[in-house]
Amino acid sequence: MQQSHAYNDTSLALTTEVLDAKARKNLSWQDLADDTGLSLAYVTAALLGQHPLPEHAAKVIGKKLDLTADSVARLQIIPLRGSLAGVPTDPTIYRFYEMIQIYGTTLKALVHEQFGDGIISAINFKLDIKKVEDPEGGSRAVITLDGKFLPLRPF
């Protein structure tokens, strides 16, 4: 039977345990995602407390991190999602916040013009990030947010 968290306390403790083991074993997020059958972004989000892992993936990661059976079971619990409150202070997260502050209304206008009234789902969603070389020097981050459009249904 699926279980669900009601508070973030247990998720935070599990995330801390995962991060400690990941650092101790010098593993990358990709190392952890390998052999789970899931995307890098999904596994990373799950291990940071934002998604449950299917049993197979939880067991694969549990073995890689030497987690207890209890911790492997807790990786499968549906979390209380959302990790940010207020304006983020971490510079990397803040830049995403800044992007939404600047381009949020543009994205909203374009979505509504092209799709109609509705939202883009963060549940039926795919995320990808790639590092590409910038022709002007350095690197660029190409981030793809791929969400299903859910139209408003009057009732």
Side-chain angles (χ1 to χ4, degrees), residues 6 10 13 18 24 37 41 48 51 53 57 62 78 95 97 113-114 122 124 126 128 136 142 145 147 150 154:
T10 54
V18 165
R24 188 172 49 257
L48 292 174
H51 297 305
L53 286 173
I78 299 167
R95 292 298 175 227
Y97 177 79
E113 182 175 284
Q114 294 178 24
N124 189 335
K126 296 175 188 170
D128 190 35
E136 298 175 10
V142 177
L145 307 173
L150 303 174

Side-chain angles (χ1 to χ4, degrees), residues 75-113:
L75 287 172
Q76 299 170 64
I77 295 174
I78 299 167
L80 184 64
R81 291 179 173 96
S83 59
L84 302 176
V87 177
T89 57
D90 176 85
T92 302
I93 297 172
Y94 177 79
R95 292 298 175 227
F96 285 103
Y97 177 79
E98 178 183 48
M99 288 175 213
I100 295 302
Q101 287 293 323
I102 294 169
Y103 293 104
T105 54
T106 300
L107 290 167
K108 177 183 174 8
L110 292 172
V111 164
H112 290 165
E113 182 175 284

Side-chain angles (χ1 to χ4, degrees), residues 111-112 115-121 147-155:
V111 164
H112 290 165
F115 294 89
D117 192 4
I119 63 167
I120 298 173
S121 174
K148 181 175 180 155
F149 179 76
L150 303 174
L152 175 72
R153 292 189 183 161
F155 58 94

Side-chain angles (χ1 to χ4, degrees), residues 7 66 103 110 134:
Y7 302 99
D66 293 326
Y103 293 104
L110 292 172
D134 187 334

Side-chain angles (χ1 to χ4, degrees), residues 28-44:
S28 68
W29 293 113
Q30 186 64 61
D31 292 333
L32 294 174
D34 288 345
D35 305 319
T36 64
L38 300 170
S39 74
L40 171 62
Y42 186 91
V43 170
T44 303

